[in-house]
Amino acid sequence: MWDGAFYRVRRDGYEICFVPDAGVPLDEIDDVDMWVLFDSGARWSGTIYTLDVVRRNMERGRQTGECLDGRYFYLWDGLIVRDPGIDGMAEVVDDLVRSGDYTAVFRDLGPEAPDE
């Protein structure tokens, strides 16, 4: 469901909040910031990239000399998925929540402060 610039996917006990690029069809999204917002108030954030985005970034590094001429790619709170699209990305996040592995992948933002 769209909520301004956010695309929200509601689940039992949590919500996934994506920030897709404006004008890009949801099934073509290949690089997106997101949050998992639990009903308990816990919040986790991350960025989801497809393999193609990683390849493009590494190729750009090869051209610019960054990251040892594109020989590596890293991100702190990132998740790499095979295919583009919000639906598939939401399925991956659901699996991470189900298994508890989201705590190893995403960044813990702590509970929302009263003034946020």
Side-chain angles (χ1 to χ4, degrees):
M1 157 181 85
W2 281 103
D3 177 14
F6 301 102
Y7 188 80
R8 297 177 182 271
V9 178
R10 182 73 193 143
R11 301 295 198 230
D12 187 28
Y14 64 98
E15 179 177 66
I16 309 165
C17 181
F18 295 95
V19 188
D21 290 335
V24 178
L26 293 178
D27 62 345
E28 294 177 18
I29 297 294
D30 61 0
D31 175 357
V32 66
D33 291 326
M34 50 74 60
W35 293 268
V36 181
L37 309 170
F38 289 92
D39 292 351
S40 67
R43 301 176 306 155
W44 295 77
S45 72
T47 302
I48 302 177
Y49 294 96
T50 63
L51 287 170
D52 287 339
V53 169
V54 173
R55 281 189 201 99
R56 285 194 307 263
N57 285 338
M58 293 179 83
E59 185 56 36
R60 183 174 45 248
R62 182 181 294 189
Q63 304 303 317
T64 65
E66 295 172 278
C67 296
L68 201 58
D69 297 324
R71 292 178 20 205
Y72 65 91
F73 175 83
Y74 70 92
L75 56 146
W76 177 36
D77 59 352
L79 173 64
I80 299 169
V81 298
R82 180 175 293 130
D83 302 311
I86 293 293
D87 288 344
M89 291 175 180
E91 287 179 30
V92 170
V93 173
D94 290 338
D95 185 67
L96 291 169
V97 169
R98 225 179 348 267
S99 69
D101 289 340
Y102 71 93
T103 62
V105 176
F106 300 133
R107 181 183 331 169
D108 182 1
L109 298 175
E112 188 171 357
D115 61 338
E116 290 184 285

